[in-house]
Amino acid sequence: MGRLLAVVLGAAAGGGFPQWNCGCPACRLAWAHDPRVKPRTQASIAISTDARAWVLLNASPDLREQIAANPVLQPLSERRDSPITAVVLTGAEIDQIAGLLHLRERQPFSIFATTAVLGALDANPIFSVLARGVVAREPIPIGESFFAAPGLAVEFFAVPGKQPLYLEGDDPELAIETDVNVGVEICADELRLAYCPGAAAMTPALRQRLADADVVLFDGTLFTDDEMIRCGVGKKAGRRMGHMPIDGPDGTLAALSDIRARRILVHINNTNPILIAGSPERQKVEAAGWEIAEDGLRIEL
Amino acid sequence: MGRLLAVVLGAAAGGGFPQWNCGCPACRLAWAHDPRVKPRTQASIAISTDARAWVLLNASPDLREQIAANPVLQPLSERRDSPITAVVLTGAEIDQIAGLLHLRERQPFSIFATTAVLGALDANPIFSVLARGVVAREPIPIGESFFAAPGLAVEFFAVPGKQPLYLEGDDPELAIETDVNVGVEICADELRLAYCPGAAAMTPALRQRLADADVVLFDGTLFTDDEMIRCGVGKKAGRRMGHMPIDGPDGTLAALSDIRARRILVHINNTNPILIAGSPERQKVEAAGWEIAEDGLRIEL
């Protein structure tokens, strides 16, 4: 029987928690070091079958700090090396790709992503600091299984989402399935973990994919669709940003109430009241059987 | 009489200390939490005249962590805002510009840089996450004074250097003065601070500029030109990377032995033995009257 290890390197949505320029109620608690909240870096998961070689799911802008906080990701030899052997990208948002810039210095590893996500890297010459002769860029179609490391099979699956903000036009299409926002299924023998940090809506196919997993790490960005507007820190509803709410009749709790998997909310926005211990929103989420990811959470299957 | 405050947000060269994939002697001490070394994030300085509004010199990839470590840079209001009002860029290396990606979320501030440095941003659509209607990009010629904040006059000056790695061709020109690598002089009334994190060689004009300052924060990347080769972690000499050595007959100690300014080494590479307390190299540097920057160092004029 196989083994599948996952470490949550970062549990926050884009900007992290607290966010550099935010004074919303949860961020104010975090800036004040209130014990009811724990700071979180931007979302990324490390996966391994043997605790020696690690595959990252997305490369967060906070990756250097995340490596410092997680000794399993630190070099072992007296020269240059790293236990990080691959990075799997589920999209091309800043919080999913900017951390690649931390992985410079001519260290070999592989980047696995869809053609659209690799295209976003290709369009930015700054990523050529990862020289193509050193860091392989491997295009992977949705629905095609590949090995990101020995014994670690990976498959991208379609998820309703949106274009990255810096690529979208004036009138972006919302909640469409494209290969610039995908979920990822990790299989080690019969063990399955699904990671889906951004979903604008639930579909029958997405629900079935999550229902087949042992562990689901799912989009926990916003508790309610109008949360950022009510906090006075944004003008966009959650779905407009590519994220379905946790609460409500068509929210995540309702959509995934009866799947068997261990369910964990991740990619949590700084405005989300589930970040605050004791809040009614956190109580509701926990009563529904969900865990709330925090940095350093270890999952062993 | 004016007042000039500076905080070293990060004192390390590109990659930081320790560097994610490095097992050189100093990094091994840092990974082991040896008390002889202090970790350092990538080089950036915050400047202010009133301790309320702050101007950053370069935007390091570690900027989010640096804001978390420095309460003066954290938001004060209940909505979105920031005491960071401007970023002045002295080059377009990853460790000078990638931190701009942390400053997204539609927060107004100004970027001041040469045309060549702004051109490197323009060539990468990922930086359009800083919408031009929100974040101004101000081109500034070398030698022309401008105000980065009220009472804070800034001037770029020429420094021998090289192109950023991700822009250079197969046969890069070395130690040439271009506007893609500059130094910066900060003046508040008669107080002067010079920041020069990358210099491939000393010139009479550069030396005079530094001699006229009250405080100099200068390129402390490498102690010796062949340091990375001898550590077994690189194939390039220091000057090839745009950095003159600290030691030796044409090194920084010799070139700036008799200027009156308070002298501080910054942008220190992870291989540099001055990072290790008690090392002969650190003793030599300190005996020559230099300080060694560390994260959080405050300078008040």
Side-chain angles (χ1 to χ4, degrees):
Chain A
M1 167 141 174
R3 186 176 173 218
L4 183 54
L5 307 171
V7 178
V8 175
L9 303 181
F17 175 61
Q19 180 179 297
W20 78 286
N21 65 338
C22 193
C24 77
C27 281
R28 287 168 68 86
L29 292 176
W31 294 122
H33 303 288
D34 188 293
R36 284 172 291 175
V37 298
K38 290 188 185 175
R40 286 164 169 83
T41 59
Q42 290 164 89
S44 176
I45 314 286
I47 302 283
S48 181
T49 57
D50 60 7
R52 289 198 297 268
W54 292 85
V55 174
L56 304 188
L57 308 184
N58 293 330
S60 137
D62 302 320
L63 181 52
R64 188 172 174 273
E65 187 178 353
Q66 293 169 341
I67 292 171
N70 288 278
V72 294
L73 301 182
Q74 296 167 9
L76 291 168
S77 87
E78 296 183 8
R79 291 292 183 263
R80 292 213 164 152
D81 76 332
S82 171
I84 299 169
T85 59
V87 179
V88 174
L89 301 174
T90 68
E93 297 278 3
I94 307 286
D95 69 335
Q96 296 168 317
I97 64 172
L100 292 172
L101 299 175
H102 287 297
L103 303 183
R104 61 200 195 279
E105 309 296 350
R106 299 193 67 78
Q107 183 69 40
F109 66 95
S110 297
I111 300 171
F112 298 100
T114 64
T115 302
V117 170
L118 291 182
L121 300 184
D122 294 346
N124 286 279
I126 197 168
F127 290 105
S128 67
V129 74
L130 305 177
R132 283 162 196 269
V134 178
V135 178
R137 300 185 186 185
E138 307 282 359
I140 308 286
I142 289 176
E144 189 168 290
S145 184
F146 64 99
F147 282 93
L152 204 62
V154 178
E155 185 179 319
F156 292 131
F157 55 88
V159 178
K162 73 162 194 61
Q163 294 271 314
L165 189 62
Y166 67 93
L167 292 179
E168 73 179 30
D170 292 333
D171 189 20
E173 285 191 275
L174 302 177
I176 51 168
E177 292 178 354
T178 70
D179 68 343
V180 78
N181 178 67
V182 296
V184 62
E185 183 181 77
I186 311 288
C187 298
D189 291 337
E190 75 280 27
L191 304 170
R192 290 191 198 192
L193 177 150
Y195 180 56
C196 182
M202 189 58 62
T203 65
L206 173 57
R207 193 182 176 290
Q208 188 58 51
R209 178 75 68 159
L210 302 174
D212 288 342
D214 298 293
V215 179
V216 168
L217 292 133
F218 195 76
D219 183 346
T221 310
L222 300 172
F223 191 73
T224 48
D225 196 47
D226 63 350
E227 178 176 308
M228 294 189 65
I229 302 166
R230 283 189 297 112
C231 281
V233 298
K235 293 175 180 171
K236 290 178 186 170
R239 286 191 187 81
R240 168 67 183 80
M241 299 189 302
H243 299 288
M244 59 190 286
I246 294 171
D247 200 31
D250 51 0
T252 299
L253 297 191
L256 298 176
S257 62
D258 59 355
I259 65 171
R260 69 174 177 89
R262 179 177 171 185
R263 292 164 293 167
I264 303 170
L265 291 166
V266 71
H267 194 272
I268 305 165
N269 197 55
N270 59 84
T271 52
N272 193 328
I274 68 170
L275 289 166
I276 304 171
S279 70
E281 295 84 355
R282 180 183 288 205
Q283 289 171 356
K284 182 171 186 179
V285 162
E286 289 176 340
W290 286 79
E291 296 169 61
I292 296 163
E294 52 186 58
D295 291 16
L297 175 68
R298 287 179 62 90
I299 300 161
E300 298 205 29
L301 294 179
Chain B
M1 168 142 176
R3 185 176 174 219
L4 182 55
L5 307 170
V7 178
V8 175
L9 303 182
F17 175 61
Q19 180 179 298
W20 78 285
N21 65 338
C22 192
C24 77
C27 281
R28 286 167 70 86
L29 292 175
W31 294 123
H33 303 288
D34 188 293
R36 285 172 290 175
V37 298
K38 289 188 186 174
R40 285 163 168 85
T41 59
Q42 290 163 88
S44 177
I45 314 285
I47 303 282
S48 180
T49 57
D50 60 8
R52 289 199 297 267
W54 292 85
V55 173
L56 304 187
L57 308 184
N58 293 331
S60 137
D62 302 321
L63 181 52
R64 188 171 174 274
E65 186 179 354
Q66 293 168 342
I67 292 171
N70 288 279
V72 293
L73 301 182
Q74 295 167 9
L76 291 169
S77 86
E78 296 184 9
R79 291 292 183 263
R80 292 214 165 153
D81 77 331
S82 170
I84 298 169
T85 59
V87 179
V88 173
L89 301 173
T90 68
E93 297 278 3
I94 306 287
D95 69 335
Q96 297 168 316
I97 64 172
L100 291 172
L101 300 175
H102 287 297
L103 302 184
R104 62 200 194 279
E105 310 295 352
R106 298 193 68 77
Q107 183 69 39
F109 66 97
S110 296
I111 300 172
F112 297 99
T114 65
T115 302
V117 171
L118 292 182
L121 300 183
D122 294 346
N124 286 280
I126 197 167
F127 290 104
S128 66
V129 74
L130 305 177
R132 283 161 195 270
V134 178
V135 178
R137 301 185 186 185
E138 306 283 359
I140 307 286
I142 289 176
E144 190 168 291
S145 184
F146 63 98
F147 283 94
L152 204 62
V154 178
E155 184 179 320
F156 292 132
F157 55 87
V159 178
K162 72 161 196 66
Q163 294 271 315
L165 189 62
Y166 67 93
L167 292 178
E168 73 178 30
D170 292 333
D171 189 19
E173 284 191 274
L174 303 177
I176 51 169
E177 292 178 353
T178 70
D179 68 343
V180 78
N181 178 67
V182 297
V184 63
E185 183 181 77
I186 311 290
C187 298
D189 290 336
E190 75 281 25
L191 304 170
R192 289 191 198 190
L193 178 148
Y195 180 55
C196 181
M202 189 58 61
T203 64
L206 173 57
R207 193 181 178 291
Q208 189 58 51
R209 178 76 68 161
L210 302 174
D212 289 341
D214 299 293
V215 179
V216 168
L217 292 133
F218 195 75
D219 183 346
T221 311
L222 301 171
F223 190 74
T224 49
D225 196 48
D226 62 350
E227 178 177 308
M228 293 189 65
I229 302 166
R230 283 189 296 113
C231 281
V233 298
K235 293 175 180 170
K236 291 178 186 170
R239 286 190 187 81
R240 168 68 182 81
M241 299 189 302
H243 301 288
M244 61 190 283
I246 294 170
D247 200 30
D250 51 1
T252 299
L253 298 191
L256 298 175
S257 62
D258 59 354
I259 66 171
R260 70 175 176 89
R262 178 175 172 187
R263 292 164 292 167
I264 303 170
L265 291 166
V266 71
H267 193 273
I268 305 165
N269 198 56
N270 60 84
T271 53
N272 193 328
I274 68 170
L275 289 165
I276 305 171
S279 70
E281 294 85 355
R282 179 182 289 203
Q283 288 171 357
K284 183 171 186 178
V285 162
E286 289 176 340
W290 285 79
E291 297 170 60
I292 297 162
E294 51 186 59
D295 292 15
L297 175 68
R298 287 178 62 90
I299 299 161
E300 298 205 29
L301 292 179

